Amino acid sequence: MPVWLTTASMLVLSNLFMTYAWYGHLKTLESKPWYIAALISWCIALGEYMIQVPANRIGYTKLSLGELKIMQEAITLLVFIPFSIFFMNQSFKLDYVWAGLCIVGAVFFIFRGG
């Protein structure tokens, strides 16, 4: 499997963990005190770091730091939008499309090799 694909796959998985750690408690732990939500989120974030750190180390063997960062940002948006719509029951906004197009532009400029 190419390094970029391994890295991207691992970053998708790590983003699932982190998105839930950052925002899932707003729905699933809303009746708990904030410090309980924080402790649980930190435990979830540890799982995210156990995937994200090796993903970046693998990716950095072939990708630049800028390429890794913009890949992470694009994946974050790709994970966040379905999470917010399907898990958090937020409505779809056209602004998601515009934000996505901006990220696509950023990906183009970082990866064009210029």
Side-chain angles (χ1 to χ4, degrees):
M1 183 181 303
V3 166
W4 69 267
L5 186 56
T6 300
T7 302
S9 299
M10 291 175 75
L11 289 176
V12 167
L13 185 58
S14 74
N15 258 275
L16 290 169
F17 277 91
M18 201 55 159
T19 301
Y20 186 81
W22 283 348
Y23 305 110
H25 63 87
L26 298 172
K27 181 176 181 179
T28 60
L29 299 172
E30 63 186 83
S31 63
K32 302 288 184 200
W34 72 266
Y35 54 88
I36 298 295
L39 288 171
I40 292 170
S41 292
W42 286 342
C43 291
I44 295 166
L46 176 61
E48 185 268 347
Y49 279 107
M50 297 300 288
I51 302 165
Q52 183 263 354
V53 170
N56 281 330
R57 286 182 169 239
I58 292 166
Y60 196 59
T61 64
K62 300 283 184 187
L63 302 168
S64 72
L65 189 60
E67 289 170 337
L68 282 171
K69 180 58 180 170
I70 203 64
M71 180 185 289
Q72 173 68 39
E73 295 303 326
I75 290 168
T76 297
L77 189 60
L78 288 173
V79 168
F80 177 76
I81 293 170
F83 176 86
S84 66
I85 293 169
F86 298 114
F87 185 77
M88 297 297 291
N89 300 316
Q90 300 291 303
S91 59
F92 178 80
K93 297 179 181 178
L94 197 54
D95 289 341
Y96 292 151
V97 174
W98 307 136
L101 289 174
C102 289
I103 293 288
V104 168
V107 168
F108 169 78
F109 286 112
I110 290 293
F111 281 92
R112 74 180 169 146

